[in-house]
Amino acid sequence: MTEYVTLTIDGKEVKAPVGSTVLEAAKSAGIRIPTLCYLKDINEIGACRMCIVDVGARSFQAACMYPVSEGLKVITNSPKIRETRRVTLELILSAHEKKCLSCARNLKCELQKLAEELNIHDNRFEGELQHFPIDDLSPSIVRDPNKCVLCRRCVSVCKNVQTVSAIETIDRGYKTIVASPFHMPLKDTPCVNCGQCIVACPTGALREKKSTDKVWEALANKDLHVVVQTAPAVRAAIGEEFGYPIGTPVTGKMVAALKRLGFAKVFDTDTAADLTIMEEGTELVDRIKNNGKLPLITSCSPGWIKFCEHFYPDMLDNLSSCKSPQNMFGAVLKSYYAEKAGIDPSKIFVVSVMPCTAKKFEAERPELASTGYPDVDEVITTRELAEMIRESGI
Ligand code: SF4
Ligand code: SF4
Ligand code: FES
């Protein structure tokens, strides 16, 4: 049975489970404490000090780390606390490249929101800026350390959730940077291109590699027959970009928008998912009948395939030999569909809209071009599709 303690936060009596933090207790009581480095269950390291509160100790404490206790008295809002948070944020901003207008996260940036919330309009600590090179060699991820606030959320998600550890904080003091070992480009590390670090990042320091320019170029090329396939998650996620509640299916609107953008045909990757299941089922039956390698493990996720290649090479024979739905569909479009529609496969340009950045990496794998052409020519994420829709005024 859960045990509770009673504490006071800003004069309000709050009951909170033993072992929970002041931040969690405050949240349950509807009291907002600003945070930056904190990511529940993933990054709880007390690095940024944005969440400081007064617990009656000699110095302010980080609410995201401080445990609740019986009779604890917490103040979350006082002139001194507000000023300390402002100084902390101004110091973070003093080392931050503030090119907000051209940043991929402009208007969707936690740092920007925090500066607005704390009413920071000037900075008392304008100082020297470091200029780190941008790593854009990965097919999926762009790393811009000039926008990094060293919250380490990406490091934690990569290490503790994905168990890859492709990135770490390296060097010390003012020179501290989040990077891959020996500053190698991300593409030369075991990074599986999953994009979870992008999801965790509060700023524009990590972003997906943009493919929209190449898609616009193809759409404008009258010699090409440009078709698109959309993964099932996209129709449920894209509405969010346009203000619909999370998970609202907007299939019809999405298809209409894709046609307005100029795609000749709109396909559903679900179709190829069915093909993959049939192929994998056939392969399983074949392996069972002929003493093949078992268990058979699905090969649908390019992130998982790369993970297996790096960390479990002894299990590669357990992977299904089937292509993922994205690539199976690309191959079908450039063979079966090309023949049925009487179109030269070299003139078919296949765009995928996918929820996962690893699909960009997969599309570039040289072994996935069985028709003599890449199965898929360009991959854009749900967010990139939303940008295209907005940009064309639909
Ligand atoms: S894409 Fe995934 S594996 Fe690569 S650095 Fe980010 S979290 Fe780690
Ligand atoms: S890259 Fe983003 S998530 Fe990683 S430490 Fe920097 S700001 Fe935080
Ligand atoms: S959010 Fe608590 S220290 Fe960063």
Side-chain angles (χ1 to χ4, degrees), residues 225 227 264-265 267 332-345 347-348:
H225 180 76
V227 299
K265 289 272 187 282
F267 294 100
V332 166
L333 290 170
K334 292 195 180 181
S335 53
Y336 180 79
Y337 169 74
E339 197 187 316
K340 285 277 167 199
I343 303 169
D344 176 356
K347 301 288 182 211
I348 297 181

Side-chain angles (χ1 to χ4, degrees), residues 10-290:
D10 295 341
K12 190 173 176 181
E13 208 174 88
V14 180
K15 265 192 179 335
V18 171
S20 61
T21 62
V22 168
L23 182 70
E24 288 163 335
K27 193 173 174 209
S28 73
I31 298 168
R32 177 173 154 72
I33 298 173
T35 58
L36 184 58
C37 68
Y38 173 79
L39 204 55
K40 189 167 168 45
D41 297 333
I42 295 173
N43 197 47
E44 299 176 352
I45 58 170
C48 74
R49 317 311 280 183
M50 285 312 307
C51 65
I52 47 134
V53 290
D54 189 348
V55 292
R58 206 169 49 172
S59 59
F60 292 152
Q61 299 294 314
C64 67
M65 299 293 289
Y66 203 84
V68 294
S69 57
E70 186 61 39
L72 184 72
K73 286 191 172 42
V74 182
I75 297 169
T76 73
N77 194 349
S78 71
K80 207 167 165 205
I81 291 171
R82 285 198 303 274
E83 177 57 12
T84 309
R85 285 183 190 147
R86 283 174 61 97
V87 168
T88 306
L89 189 55
E90 281 179 70
L91 285 169
I92 292 172
L93 287 166
S94 74
H96 186 76
E97 181 194 67
K98 292 174 277 297
K99 292 186 180 164
C100 299
L101 279 183
S102 57
C103 179
R105 290 290 293 272
N106 189 26
L107 303 179
K108 292 177 191 147
C109 169
E110 289 181 38
L111 187 66
Q112 214 178 36
K113 272 203 198 95
L114 214 47
E116 191 193 13
E117 190 180 326
L118 300 194
N119 279 314
I120 292 179
H121 303 297
D122 299 315
N123 196 335
R124 289 168 280 181
F125 312 113
E126 278 308 341
E128 190 189 334
L129 281 186
Q130 304 222 62
H131 298 286
F132 296 108
I134 294 173
D135 174 12
D136 61 356
L137 297 177
S138 153
S140 307
I141 319 275
V142 177
R143 265 189 345 100
D144 181 353
N146 303 299
K147 297 197 168 86
C148 176
V149 293
L150 298 175
C151 69
R152 294 155 173 85
R153 282 160 49 162
C154 57
V155 173
S156 295
V157 82
C158 188
K159 186 192 289 177
N160 304 330
V161 180
Q162 303 304 80
T163 65
V164 172
S165 293
I167 43 178
E168 247 308 346
T169 31
I170 54 177
D171 290 337
R172 291 289 172 271
Y174 187 55
K175 290 194 184 326
T176 307
I177 180 177
V178 169
S180 40
F182 310 109
H183 293 278
M184 283 191 295
L186 211 48
K187 77 167 182 41
D188 295 336
T189 72
C191 166
V192 299
N193 302 291
C194 65
Q196 288 308 304
C197 51
I198 302 177
V199 178
C201 182
T203 70
L206 288 161
R207 60 178 192 268
E208 72 265 50
K209 180 94 163 257
K210 289 263 172 271
S211 306
T212 45
D213 285 349
K214 288 184 189 142
V215 176
W216 283 125
E217 225 172 84
L219 285 168
N221 185 340
K222 297 285 169 251
D223 288 338
L224 291 178
H225 180 76
V226 187
V227 299
V228 63
Q229 58 166 318
T230 62
V234 179
R235 75 200 63 150
I238 194 151
E240 245 182 273
E241 287 276 345
F242 297 94
Y244 287 92
I246 291 174
T248 309
V250 289
T251 317
K253 289 182 173 64
M254 179 190 72
V255 173
L258 287 164
K259 289 195 170 156
R260 291 262 305 269
L261 284 172
F263 289 101
K265 289 272 187 282
V266 179
F267 294 100
D268 188 338
T269 311
D270 268 357
T271 310
D274 288 347
L275 297 179
T276 310
I277 289 166
M278 287 192 290
E279 286 294 322
E280 283 187 346
T282 308
E283 189 175 10
L284 176 64
V285 171
D286 181 67
R287 288 197 193 194
I288 292 170
K289 277 187 182 161
N290 298 306

Side-chain angles (χ1 to χ4, degrees), residues 280 283-284 287 292-299 304-305 308 312-322:
E280 283 187 346
E283 189 175 10
L284 176 64
R287 288 197 193 194
K293 186 84 171 172
L294 291 170
L296 177 70
I297 302 176
T298 183
S299 55
W304 153 240
I305 299 278
C308 194
Y312 297 97
D314 53 313
M315 291 181 72
L316 283 174
D317 288 342
N318 290 83
L319 293 182
S320 163
S321 62
C322 297

